[in-house]
Amino acid sequence: MLNQALELLKEQYRQNLGAVTGNDFLEYYFNEKRRHSMQVFGAGNMLVRHIGWLKNKPAEYVEMVRTAVLLHDVYRFKEIALLAENKKIDHGVEGAKFLRNIPLFSDIRIWLPIYHHGHLIEDLYTDQQYQNIKDVNLKKEVELICFVIRDADKIANLNMLAYEPDMRLLFLGKGTGDAIHDYSISDFAKDDAFSGKTVRRTPDCTIADRMLGYLSWFNDINYQYSVDFCHKLRVIEILKDYFSQICNDKAFVEEYSAYFDECLRLRNFLS
């Protein structure tokens, strides 16, 4: 299954490459997403070796989970290609629909987690497709596999943000007006951060708001090993330090840092 999934990913890359060739930004973004797919796959491989509920599953089952991780962005190439035509799609939704029509990847434990990997997790729970699953065990599997994909996706992006300074413009530099040069922290971002939410991203949010948003991703991390892995790579330490450099509200930085550490210590992550 994994070999076929990799070939499908390569096929999607080849089919859509021509649409972005000649557009420097889109071509760069397109190729970056190919690298991202493999980074998420690598993070997912680390997770599946340490997640408790997967330890007694047969090899074929674990391969199915790894396949879902590998294919999470299978339609990202199409999404970027359509940007060249000023068209927008949701790559998770369209990718899931695409996979659902391929017999090898039509298992709901593959396509439904992919459908919602980039959404708020509440969107999975309220989705009629999810609610219609009658088998409670299958329903739980869909949720847990979605958690694997979401965690692996975040780990890959946070690691890139920590260790690749040249990529920070891609993560932080999309704003309007003076927001990209504003290092203050907005009231709504403070409220979101201290309420345990993922900080909202608005067109006019400041660069400090955006960086706080990435730290707040840890509010949406599910597995203990995801946190341990980020600690091991020093990702958390580096990102907190970077936030302290770019946010000009030093009192907030100190207060949030203590809150962040306490939340990680007290939260009951999945084993």
Side-chain angles (χ1 to χ4, degrees):
M1 179 180 281
L2 270 174
N3 288 336
Q4 292 94 326
L6 183 59
E7 287 305 312
L8 181 63
L9 203 61
K10 290 178 179 177
E11 177 184 302
Q12 285 298 303
Y13 175 86
R14 290 192 297 265
Q15 284 183 1
N16 291 286
L17 179 59
V20 300
T21 300
N23 183 315
D24 290 345
F25 174 76
L26 289 182
E27 192 170 351
Y28 174 78
Y29 186 34
F30 190 89
N31 284 300
E32 177 51 45
K33 286 305 176 181
R34 177 175 63 172
R35 184 170 71 116
H36 170 75
S37 288
M38 302 315 297
Q39 289 172 328
V40 174
F41 183 54
N45 285 338
M46 291 295 296
L47 284 176
V48 298
R49 290 201 289 270
H50 293 87
I51 290 174
W53 68 274
L54 282 171
K55 288 184 177 178
N56 294 320
K57 295 291 186 182
E60 295 81 5
Y61 187 96
V62 175
E63 183 173 359
M64 181 266 294
V65 176
R66 294 172 66 208
T67 296
V69 175
L70 178 60
L71 291 177
H72 82 286
D73 268 2
V74 67
Y75 236 59
R76 178 69 92 169
F77 303 122
K78 182 67 172 179
E79 180 182 57
I80 299 172
L82 288 173
L83 288 177
E85 304 174 26
N86 293 314
K87 298 177 181 177
K88 292 184 179 181
I89 61 170
D90 182 324
H91 70 279
V93 170
E94 297 305 322
K97 293 177 181 177
F98 172 68
L99 293 171
R100 190 177 183 178
N101 289 314
I102 301 175
L104 184 61
F105 307 118
S106 62
D107 191 318
I108 195 170
R109 294 169 296 184
I110 293 176
W111 64 262
L112 190 52
I114 289 173
Y115 190 107
H116 287 294
H117 79 272
H119 303 159
L120 295 175
I121 193 60
E122 289 77 14
D123 291 341
L124 170 67
Y125 300 144
T126 58
D127 186 338
Q128 202 63 47
Q129 298 170 116
Y130 178 76
Q131 293 182 351
N132 286 342
I133 300 174
K134 303 302 182 185
D135 186 322
V136 293
N137 292 323
L138 177 60
K139 199 170 190 177
K140 190 64 178 178
E141 289 176 65
V142 168
E143 178 189 42
L144 292 173
I145 293 170
C146 193
F147 288 168
V148 175
I149 298 173
R150 293 165 69 89
D151 278 20
D153 200 10
K154 288 180 176 65
I155 289 169
N157 279 315
L158 292 170
N159 187 67
M160 188 184 301
L161 184 58
Y163 282 102
E164 299 185 36
D166 290 346
M167 292 298 296
R168 288 175 183 165
L169 181 62
L170 189 62
F171 281 92
L172 302 173
K174 299 175 185 174
T176 59
D178 295 327
I180 191 173
H181 303 295
D182 190 343
Y183 299 96
S184 64
I185 197 81
S186 302
D187 288 339
F188 83 85
K190 292 180 182 180
D191 291 341
D192 284 355
F194 283 128
S195 64
K197 298 178 182 177
T198 301
V199 174
R200 286 166 284 168
R201 185 160 184 159
T202 63
D204 58 347
C205 66
T206 71
I207 191 170
D209 295 340
R210 291 168 186 269
M211 187 59 219
L212 180 62
Y214 288 113
L215 283 174
S216 74
W217 276 7
F218 282 94
N219 295 327
D220 193 40
I221 289 287
N222 300 281
Y223 292 103
Q224 180 64 54
Y225 188 75
S226 300
V227 178
D228 296 343
F229 191 42
C230 286
H231 273 303
K232 183 177 181 180
L233 295 174
R234 296 185 60 245
V235 165
I236 295 173
E237 177 185 346
I238 292 169
L239 294 182
K240 285 179 64 181
D241 180 67
Y242 183 58
F243 179 61
S244 73
Q245 293 176 42
I246 67 171
C247 180
N248 60 18
D249 187 339
K250 301 309 178 187
F252 172 78
V253 169
E254 185 175 347
E255 185 181 8
Y256 181 72
S257 178
Y259 171 82
F260 179 92
D261 292 343
E262 188 72 355
C263 287
L264 287 188
R265 186 179 71 81
L266 294 177
R267 185 172 163 193
N268 292 318
F269 292 97
L270 298 173
S271 62

